[in-house]
């Protein structure tokens, strides 16, 4: 489930953000406790704590004392903006290089994407 190229707590944070993007968790909705999320993903509770701390620092979730963690209002839009920026700054330049090396035209790429729908 987890890869070697990135810290587990960061992969967990990415998964939580994926779940927020997918609508599993919405603004001001309670998310699983640290212990519940750690158990769900079969990781040490300390790793889950690091994940939640990272998400809190990034403004994706917030804690209500004694009540648990909740999704910050606007978190989905914030995640979407971050992911789009990363796509255009990281994925697109690599895609362009690969396309040039392989002789793939933009038209061929668009045609292939259209077929996948």
């Amino acid at each position: 489930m987890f890869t070697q190229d990135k810290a587990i707590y960061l992969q967990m944070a990415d998964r939580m953000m994926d779940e927020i993007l997918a609508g599993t968790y919405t603004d001001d909705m309670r998310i699983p406790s640290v212990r519940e999320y750690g158990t769900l993903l079969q990781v040490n509770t300390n790793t889950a704590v690091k994940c939640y701390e990272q998400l809190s620092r990034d403004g994706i979730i917030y804690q209500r004392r004694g009540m648990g963690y909740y999704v910050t209002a606007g978190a989905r839009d914030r995640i979407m903006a971050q992911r789009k920026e990363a796509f255009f700054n990281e994925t697109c330049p690599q895609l362009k290089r690969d396309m040039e090396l392989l002789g793939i035209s933009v038209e061929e790429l668009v045609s292939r994407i259209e077929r996948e729908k």
Side-chain angles (χ1 to χ4, degrees), residues 8-96:
I8 291 174
Y9 79 95
L10 293 174
Q11 292 178 64
M12 290 176 66
D14 285 343
R15 178 182 167 141
M16 177 63 73
M17 288 187 288
D18 288 346
E19 292 169 347
I20 292 169
L21 285 175
T24 305
Y25 306 112
T26 58
D27 288 357
D28 295 313
M29 183 178 185
R30 186 179 181 281
I31 61 173
S33 70
V34 169
R35 189 175 307 276
E36 291 167 339
Y37 207 56
T39 300
L40 175 70
L41 300 181
Q42 300 177 345
V43 299
N44 184 297
T45 302
N46 292 330
T47 303
V49 167
K50 285 178 73 172
C51 165
Y52 277 43
E53 287 173 347
Q54 182 67 48
L55 290 168
S56 291
R57 276 193 301 274
D58 292 344
I60 304 301
I61 63 173
Y62 66 95
Q63 186 176 24
R64 289 184 186 165
R65 284 201 165 251
M67 298 185 67
Y69 284 91
Y70 294 78
V71 177
T72 303
R76 185 177 190 286
D77 293 339
R78 187 175 300 110
I79 295 165
M80 188 76 72
Q82 290 171 353
R83 296 265 177 103
K84 282 183 180 180
E85 190 68 23
F87 179 81
F88 286 118
N89 290 333
E90 298 162 18
T91 305
C92 281
Q94 183 61 49
L95 177 62
K96 182 178 184 276

